[in-house]
Amino acid sequence: GRFAPDFMIMQRRKDEENRRVYDEKFKSDSSLQRVAQWEQKTSNRIDRNAASRRVDSMARDLESNLEERRARLAALLAEEDAAYTVELEALDETPD
């Protein structure tokens, strides 16, 4: 069989259309992939920042608790110190 006179032209147009569709699909997929990567990176950054804020908050709480404990212990030590001072003064005043 003989091909129609414009067979090669029609085949070329079909090939060009297929290539155009492929290029558009590839471009669209590439764009979607970049958006997906950006969203993933942003989500990871948000998660890291949230974790960092939680760790910072926990560290501040621990530091605050430590400072409160130090203050209570300092007050207790001052109280005991005062009691021992009174006790020693009472011993000095006792006649021999």
Side-chain angles (χ1 to χ4, degrees), residues 60-77:
R60 281 192 305 273
D61 290 346
L62 288 173
E63 185 66 27
S64 174
N65 291 343
L66 181 60
E67 291 301 321
E68 289 173 9
R69 184 165 185 244
R70 284 179 179 159
R72 284 193 313 270
L73 289 173
L76 182 61
L77 179 62

Side-chain angles (χ1 to χ4, degrees), residues 77-94:
L77 179 62
E79 193 177 301
E80 288 178 354
D81 223 13
Y84 286 133
T85 301
V86 168
E87 198 175 314
L88 286 175
E89 288 173 357
L91 287 177
D92 285 344
E93 293 174 3
T94 306

Side-chain angles (χ1 to χ4, degrees), residues 7 19 24-25 30 35-36 48 55 57 60 62 65 83 90:
F7 174 79
R19 178 64 186 197
E24 285 178 6
K25 178 75 171 133
S30 295
V35 169
R48 276 194 315 272
V55 167
S57 174
R60 281 192 305 273
L62 288 173
N65 291 343

